[in-house]
Amino acid sequence: MNTEPTTLLQGTLDLLILKSLIAGEMHGLGVSRRIQQITGGTFVVKPGSLFPALHRMEEQGWISSFWGESENNRRAKYYRLTKAGQKQLEVETKRWGRISWAIGQALEAS
Amino acid sequence: MPLFVKARSFLRNLFQSRRVEADLDQEVHAHLEMLTEENIRAGMPPKEAQRAARIELGGIEQVKEQVRQKRTGNWLPSVISDCRYGLRQLRKNPGFTAVAVLTLALGIGANTAIFSVVDAVLLRPLPFEAPSRLIAIHEGIPKMGYPKMGFSPPDLAIFAREQKSFSAIGTFRNKPVNISGRDEPERVMAARVSSSLFPMLGVEPMLGRTFASDEDTPGHNVVLLSYGLWQRRYGGVSSILGQTIDIDRQPYTVVGVMPQKFEFPLPGPDDNGSPADLWVPMAFLPAELQGWGGSYLTSVVGRLRPGITLEQVRGSTEPLAREVLASYPAALTKTFRAAELSISAFPFQEDVVGSVRTLLLVLMAAVSFVLLIACANIATLLVSRAATRQKEIAVRTALGATRLRLVRQMLTESLLLALGGGALGFLLAFLARNFILALVPSSIPLPRHLSLHAGVFAFAVGTSILAAVLFGLAPAFRLSLTSTEGHLQESGRSATLSRSHHRLQGFFVTVEFALAFVLLIGAGLLIRSFGKLLETNPGFHPDSVLTLNIPLPHEAYPQEAQIRSFYRQLLDRVSTLPGVQSVGLSNDLPLNAREMVSMAIEGRGDAESETPQAICQSWVMGNYFQTMGIPLLQGRWFAPEDRVESQPVTIVSLAAARKFWPRENAIGKQIRWGVKAPWQTIVGIVGDVSQGPLNNPVEPHVYRPYSQLPGPFLEEDPFGDWHAMNLAVRAQVNPAALTSAVVADVHSLDPDLAVASIRTMTEVISSSFAGPEFNMVMLGALAGLALFLSAIGVYGVLAYVVVQQTHEIGVRMALGANRHDVLRLILGRGARLAGIGAGCGLAAALALTHLMKGLLYGVSAIDPPTFASVLALLTSIALLASYIPARRATRVDPMVALRYE
């Protein structure tokens, strides 16, 4: 649990965050756990990477934040996808599709 | 839309930083608590759950710092906090801050001041329309020793007609004149200019008009006033237009006043380089236009036609020179062809500033060396200070500061120092600029007033930033290498790091000594040159001699007899004044001989086939030689019997006798002007007298009796100085005290005469020293400053070394080293640094000093005595500066030193 099983590709973290927020608004820990879940435990995002990414994406207008109550009645900061964020997700998804296809080709070639 | 979001984030981060920070803090804490709860739910005991959560989070402050670094506009608050932090650091060390800021203020101030002069003289284009298209054109007779002169009037007419490179040609020529009427008669500088000159330069008059092209012919007495003269003498009223003023007793109508800032001719060139108080039309007289082969005195500037380059002009001058030569009278053609009459072209700006270029570049190099030394000094101080800051850096690193961030923090501090120094320096330059310019002797053509405009300010700011990088980068980089582990523990000392500090400081001190060495060599060469100059025998006795220039206006004294009689009576009157020992007249004075003639020697083959010899000539009257103290070496003085109708006689200088009659006696030999004039017999040989600045070689000189100056020549006076004789009076006691009595004698003969250039010969001599003396003092002061800063540098480094190595020294002494060994250890380190520095400086000086050859006199650019004495001086200063810390080291008490840990 202390080391990331796989180093995240540049830009992949953004994609994963956007993808996990599709399911609805959630706080930082929620995003982190969601990513862990949807990647089958392959990616564990540490707070040191997660929070800078969340704040950067908020400043880019892809996600917005608000203070809400957590499951255990705790004040927590929630994030939700904006319209720009949804558009960005499409862009990132397409880009990712191209990259994974290209890498797959490259790996098969050898 | 994204831009809008970004801007909003930027503003929010900037202005609501407290709320943003609080939000972040809450968010991270909430995250930590949720992680803990999650762990508890998973069955961990509470303490264990909290620990695991903390490990997963990885440190609250680090996470927050990582978020901060990703924020939009995160640089701005961090720059502000860097600045605040830097200021606090600097305030904590007021001694260091004061020394650094003052050193930088001196360095940057000196650079700004010199740069403002360099900018005004060398960089800023001449204040005319499209100045880069203006070309100065010269005639030259290289074989006679004149590679670069003005144009003679008939040559100019042909050149102007035949040339195809220039769309306009302007001509000008200085001429001192008397103005009279209204107030006291006054001698002022005038310039004759062609009507084309001002339109070509693109300058408009402030009032009235400039000259019309029909005024280029004689007979139009019109004048343009300078703003200064208009204000000073004519009260600055616009009704002056259309009024007449008397110039050399002729009425001239004022047609215009030029703008306040307009200065022409531009100061700088030896010929026609005096800004005029008034301008009159060039209007060559018919006699001038027939004056072939003489009067090469008119300066010519042309504006290039579009598409024509200077190279094309240079390619076209040879046929033009041939064309000019072809129009010479047959008697002269051969001579001037043999002497290779030529035409050459230079950018006008280069022509104007040529003479001060070397001086300015040398000064600029010198001040930048001083600034470099100052930077090296501050760098060594910073390195010393770094030792005490390693702990602080280690803490910052532990709290998540990246190395880049640390370097930036250090550089911010350096920048604050440099900008503080720069601001103070700019202020110094601003306050001192006119004071410094007032020290510049008039013989050096520099502007008398400077404005510190935006460009100069930008230079000061740029220099400050550059300085900050120069002195801040290496120490900052070195400091950022501080390892976290060692310094968070109690002992903050690391022998390896302090050793590398010493190496860095050693490097800086070496650089300082190298730069100081070069500067000292430069100053030393100038001091040696000046010493040689002082030793130079001018060839006359300047003490107790008063000289006055007494010009007779052409129009008031048109007849030969009037002129001769005036000067005769003046001599008689002044010689009877009490306190006067002897008195004489000459058209030129020593150190300022202008009249040159070409001379042919009898019996040297076909005179026409030979190149005539250019030679200085002066016309003298009364006891001129005795008054100046010029010794008669052989033969006789001029006598009253040498009259216009008797055999022409001449006295030659020793240099002339040696050059033209090396194995014969010159007495009794005959010479003449050019190819047609009557032969003159040499009756005497006198000692050599310097004709120009003392650092120029003495040229052959011939003297003629004024009484034998042919009447028509005297009346026509093409050069204007046979009407403007200089009176020389040798006094029994104080020459200056005679001034009023002599001027009264002049005015008793003609009350309207203006007496000009009243000076003792001692003043003339010292003013001829002024230029070299200024160069020497300037460079000497800068070299002294450099030496002082380097001495402080080596002292600072060694003092630091001694403090750092107290322990080591203590051990050595405990093991039996005596005081002598310790002294040698520290002194040896100082000597080594100075030695390496001097070695590098020696190599640099050998490569650089030839650039200042133009400023030297009588010494070579690699003068061994200068190099040897500078080496000795630098070494002894370095040893002296090392001695103080070395002495301190010998007083180390081994017991105390060993406990020091």
Side-chain angles (χ1 to χ4, degrees):
Chain A
M1 280 285 273
N2 280 347
T3 50
E4 282 177 31
T6 310
T7 313
L8 284 173
L9 267 172
Q10 184 73 35
T12 318
L13 181 58
D14 290 9
L15 177 62
L16 289 175
I17 291 175
L18 292 173
K19 183 77 190 166
S20 51
L21 283 175
I22 276 280
E25 52 202 42
M26 52 185 78
H27 49 64
L29 188 60
V31 172
S32 173
R33 295 291 175 252
R34 175 90 184 144
I35 290 175
Q36 212 171 338
Q37 185 197 334
I38 60 179
T39 62
T42 314
F43 294 121
V44 177
V45 188
K46 290 178 87 181
S49 316
L50 178 70
F51 284 111
L54 284 173
H55 283 249
R56 179 171 45 75
M57 290 163 76
E58 184 183 359
E59 287 184 349
Q60 274 164 328
W62 297 339
I63 55 180
S64 62
S65 70
F66 61 96
W67 286 95
E69 296 257 311
S70 78
E71 320 73 83
N72 301 351
N73 301 329
R74 234 173 233 299
R75 240 170 85 77
K77 199 168 184 184
Y78 278 80
Y79 294 90
R80 77 159 74 90
L81 216 52
T82 63
K83 269 209 177 109
Q86 282 166 14
K87 208 178 282 168
Q88 183 66 21
L89 178 60
E90 283 166 32
V91 173
E92 293 272 332
T93 311
K94 253 182 222 156
R95 198 171 69 98
W96 179 252
R98 273 204 306 277
I99 291 174
S100 66
W101 180 82
I103 288 181
Q105 291 287 310
L107 290 176
E108 266 169 37
S110 62
Chain B
M1 180 68 183
L3 195 70
F4 170 72
V5 176
K6 257 207 144 116
R8 204 179 50 191
S9 312
F10 179 79
L11 291 176
R12 198 174 57 122
N13 290 341
L14 188 61
F15 292 108
Q16 300 183 310
S17 61
R18 202 164 290 171
R19 233 187 75 193
V20 171
E21 276 296 311
D23 258 24
L24 178 62
D25 188 65
Q26 277 187 23
E27 183 178 10
V28 176
H29 272 106
H31 189 85
L32 183 66
E33 281 163 23
M34 286 192 282
L35 273 176
T36 313
E37 280 166 17
E38 203 179 65
N39 288 343
I40 290 174
R41 262 183 277 139
M44 284 190 197
K47 272 236 166 99
E48 184 68 15
Q50 209 163 29
R51 212 179 85 83
R54 270 187 194 281
I55 288 171
E56 191 182 340
L57 186 73
I60 294 176
E61 287 308 312
Q62 281 93 326
V63 171
K64 277 158 76 173
E65 182 60 28
Q66 276 163 324
V67 171
R68 279 184 209 123
Q69 286 193 4
K70 283 276 159 13
R71 269 190 206 145
T72 304
N74 97 87
W75 53 272
L76 188 62
S78 76
V79 162
I80 291 172
S81 86
D82 273 2
C83 287
R84 223 183 266 147
Y85 184 77
L87 281 176
R88 207 158 50 223
Q89 283 291 324
L90 296 177
R91 250 203 322 265
K92 254 179 23 197
N93 297 282
F96 164 79
T97 307
V99 167
V101 168
L102 280 179
T103 314
L104 282 170
L106 282 179
I108 296 173
N111 272 276
T112 308
I114 300 289
F115 174 78
S116 67
V117 179
V118 169
D119 170 63
V121 176
L122 297 185
L123 301 182
R124 207 174 311 163
L126 298 176
F128 308 126
E129 187 187 312
S132 62
R133 306 289 294 166
L134 293 174
I135 303 295
I137 311 144
H138 293 271
E139 284 197 280
I141 321 175
K143 283 287 171 68
M144 285 192 203
Y146 303 108
K148 207 173 152 188
M149 316 179 293
F151 268 76
S152 108
D155 299 9
L156 176 59
I158 293 165
F159 175 79
R161 197 179 65 217
E162 299 296 331
Q163 66 79 25
K164 292 174 182 67
S165 312
F166 302 99
S167 57
I169 285 183
T171 64
F172 56 96
R173 179 166 157 187
N174 269 129
K175 178 192 181 193
V177 295
N178 283 358
I179 44 179
S180 50
R182 289 176 167 240
D183 297 313
E184 286 280 293
E186 192 181 349
R187 189 83 171 154
V188 297
M189 184 51 75
R192 295 167 66 181
V193 300
S194 64
S195 67
S196 54
L197 181 71
F198 292 146
M200 183 193 73
L201 297 176
V203 290
E204 300 278 340
M206 193 186 83
L207 287 176
R209 61 171 177 89
T210 55
F211 300 132
S213 56
D214 64 329
E215 286 161 348
D216 278 335
T217 51
H220 296 90
N221 284 0
V222 287
V223 60
L224 278 164
L225 301 180
S226 70
Y227 182 88
L229 185 69
W230 176 56
Q231 287 287 328
R232 178 165 59 79
R233 195 175 166 100
Y234 303 104
V237 292
S238 52
S239 59
I240 190 73
L241 289 186
Q243 290 191 28
T244 58
I245 63 174
D246 282 352
I247 300 174
D248 286 343
R249 308 221 182 152
Q250 289 288 101
Y252 277 69
T253 308
V254 178
V255 296
V257 176
M258 296 306 283
Q260 187 171 6
K261 292 240 169 96
F262 180 68
E263 188 183 47
F264 203 89
L266 294 169
D270 290 337
D271 300 319
N272 303 326
S274 308
D277 299 299
L278 54 87
W279 297 270
V280 293
M282 180 66 86
F284 285 122
L285 300 168
E288 288 180 299
L289 288 169
Q290 292 304 312
W292 304 99
S295 285
Y296 295 93
L297 296 170
T298 306
S299 292
V300 179
V301 175
R303 180 172 290 285
L304 287 175
R305 266 183 210 290
I308 301 276
T309 64
L310 179 60
E311 282 61 42
Q312 285 171 301
V313 174
R314 285 180 169 158
S316 72
T317 53
E318 217 184 293
L320 280 169
R322 267 203 304 276
E323 194 122 12
V324 166
L325 199 51
S327 66
Y328 272 42
L332 292 174
T333 324
K334 224 171 173 181
T335 304
F336 278 85
R337 182 163 302 136
E340 293 179 359
L341 183 84
S342 66
I343 293 174
S344 55
F346 306 88
F348 190 32
Q349 177 138 14
E350 190 184 308
D351 212 57
V352 170
V353 302
S355 61
V356 286
R357 196 188 174 82
T358 310
L359 172 64
L360 283 181
L361 293 182
V362 165
L363 283 181
M364 195 72 228
V367 286
S368 47
F369 277 23
V370 169
L371 182 63
L372 281 178
I373 292 175
C375 286
N377 245 350
I378 294 168
T380 62
L381 286 175
L382 283 176
V383 171
S384 304
R385 220 162 63 99
T388 62
R389 290 185 68 176
Q390 282 174 6
K391 211 172 213 171
E392 169 207 335
I393 301 301
V395 171
R396 289 170 65 97
T397 313
L399 286 179
T402 61
R403 206 163 121 205
L404 192 71
R405 189 76 186 66
L406 284 174
V407 171
R408 207 177 76 187
Q409 161 66 34
M410 302 291 149
L411 277 182
T412 306
E413 270 180 62
S414 302
L415 202 60
L416 284 174
L417 271 183
L419 287 178
L424 196 60
F426 189 76
L427 192 71
L428 281 179
F430 180 78
L431 294 176
R433 71 193 199 283
N434 289 334
F435 170 72
I436 294 169
L437 284 177
L439 296 180
V440 180
S442 56
S443 55
I444 300 182
L446 288 181
R448 300 292 123 171
H449 297 285
L450 283 179
S451 54
L452 293 182
H453 55 91
V456 177
F457 184 73
F459 174 84
V461 173
T463 310
S464 306
I465 293 172
L466 187 69
V469 171
L470 277 179
F471 70 71
L473 200 56
F477 197 71
R478 173 54 47 89
L479 198 53
S480 74
L481 292 180
T482 304
S483 62
T484 318
E485 290 77 21
H487 294 282
L488 281 181
Q489 284 146 24
E490 207 32 58
S491 158
R493 275 186 36 164
S494 153
T496 46
L497 194 66
S498 72
R499 188 136 301 152
S500 77
H501 277 177
H502 295 167
R503 261 206 307 276
L504 193 59
Q505 289 182 319
F507 168 74
F508 287 135
V509 170
T510 308
V511 168
E512 282 182 47
F513 273 111
L515 292 171
F517 188 89
V518 177
L519 273 188
L520 285 169
I521 290 288
L525 289 174
L526 287 185
I527 291 170
R528 288 260 297 159
S529 302
F530 193 67
K532 293 258 161 141
L533 206 56
L534 289 182
E535 285 167 19
T536 304
N537 176 11
F540 61 97
H541 294 299
D543 334 313
S544 310
V545 177
L546 177 73
T547 63
L548 310 88
N549 183 244
I550 299 147
L552 303 178
H554 229 289
E555 292 72 15
Y557 292 81
Q559 305 288 322
E560 174 197 358
Q562 292 172 299
I563 304 165
R564 291 193 198 283
S565 137
F566 175 88
Y567 285 128
R568 183 77 261 156
Q569 289 180 52
L570 183 64
L571 276 185
D572 290 345
R573 290 201 185 191
V574 173
S575 61
T576 58
L577 282 175
V580 169
Q581 204 172 51
S582 68
V583 56
L585 284 162
S586 173
N587 65 323
D588 276 335
L589 289 173
L591 306 184
N592 189 21
R594 298 156 299 170
E595 186 178 332
M596 304 287 290
V597 291
S598 16
M599 181 191 86
I601 301 166
E602 196 199 8
R604 295 283 164 89
D606 178 5
E608 278 187 25
S609 72
E610 274 204 37
T611 304
Q613 302 290 334
I615 195 167
C616 256
Q617 173 170 271
S618 300
W619 298 89
V620 302
M621 185 175 179
N623 293 325
Y624 174 74
F625 294 106
Q626 295 90 327
T627 306
M628 277 295 168
I630 302 169
L632 181 69
L633 305 175
Q634 216 187 335
R636 66 164 175 95
W637 299 120
F638 294 134
E641 301 81 63
D642 299 320
R643 284 189 303 274
V644 79
E645 64 276 10
S646 59
Q647 164 62 35
V649 292
T650 184
I651 290 178
V652 299
S653 70
L654 185 60
R658 283 202 178 135
K659 179 170 178 194
F660 302 122
W661 297 276
R663 281 173 298 277
E664 301 166 84
N665 188 347
I667 302 280
K669 296 285 185 300
Q670 299 217 309
I671 56 172
R672 69 179 176 187
W673 294 341
V675 288
K676 283 190 295 191
W679 291 105
Q680 309 154 15
T681 308
I682 296 171
V683 296
I685 301 174
V686 291
D688 287 322
V689 174
S690 295
Q691 290 101 348
L694 285 172
N695 48 7
N696 288 3
V698 174
E699 300 286 339
H701 204 132
V702 298
Y703 299 89
R704 303 284 333 273
Y706 191 63
S707 54
Q708 289 190 337
L709 181 61
F713 276 178
L714 178 53
E715 285 171 10
E716 186 195 309
D717 194 5
F719 302 101
D721 61 349
W722 295 333
H723 270 73
M725 297 292 278
N726 294 288
L727 186 69
V729 185
R730 177 167 287 275
Q732 271 151 359
V733 198
N734 174 10
L738 287 173
T739 309
S740 56
V742 174
V743 173
D745 274 348
V746 172
H747 284 154
S748 72
L749 288 169
D750 184 340
D752 287 339
L753 282 184
V755 180
S757 315
I758 305 174
R759 297 198 293 176
T760 65
M761 280 316 279
T762 325
E763 284 165 11
V764 174
I765 290 232
S766 59
S767 75
S768 81
F769 288 149
E773 189 177 12
F774 174 79
N775 301 353
M776 176 185 74
V777 168
M778 284 296 281
L779 205 57
L782 290 173
L785 190 60
L787 185 61
F788 176 69
L789 289 175
S790 314
I792 289 186
V794 71
Y795 165 80
V797 167
L798 292 181
Y800 172 69
V801 165
V802 168
V803 170
Q804 290 285 300
Q805 297 189 344
T806 306
H807 182 71
E808 183 194 328
I809 294 168
V811 170
R812 279 170 191 263
M813 290 180 83
L815 290 177
N818 59 26
R819 271 151 212 274
H820 196 73
D821 296 328
V822 172
L823 198 65
R824 214 172 46 207
L825 178 78
I826 304 297
L827 280 185
R829 197 192 284 262
R832 202 165 58 236
L833 293 179
I836 299 172
C840 301
L842 182 74
L846 285 175
L848 289 177
T849 46
H850 70 272
L851 297 177
M852 57 183 289
K853 244 179 207 156
L855 301 178
L856 301 181
Y857 166 65
V859 292
S860 97
I862 49 166
D863 182 48
T866 307
F867 275 65
S869 11
V870 165
L871 192 61
L873 176 69
L874 198 71
T875 318
S876 28
I877 292 288
L879 286 179
L880 203 66
S882 314
Y883 183 68
I884 305 165
R887 271 285 298 281
R888 196 173 306 143
T890 64
R891 299 218 193 87
V892 167
D893 181 344
M895 288 314 288
V896 176
L898 290 178
R899 257 186 247 124
Y900 182 73
E901 201 70 342

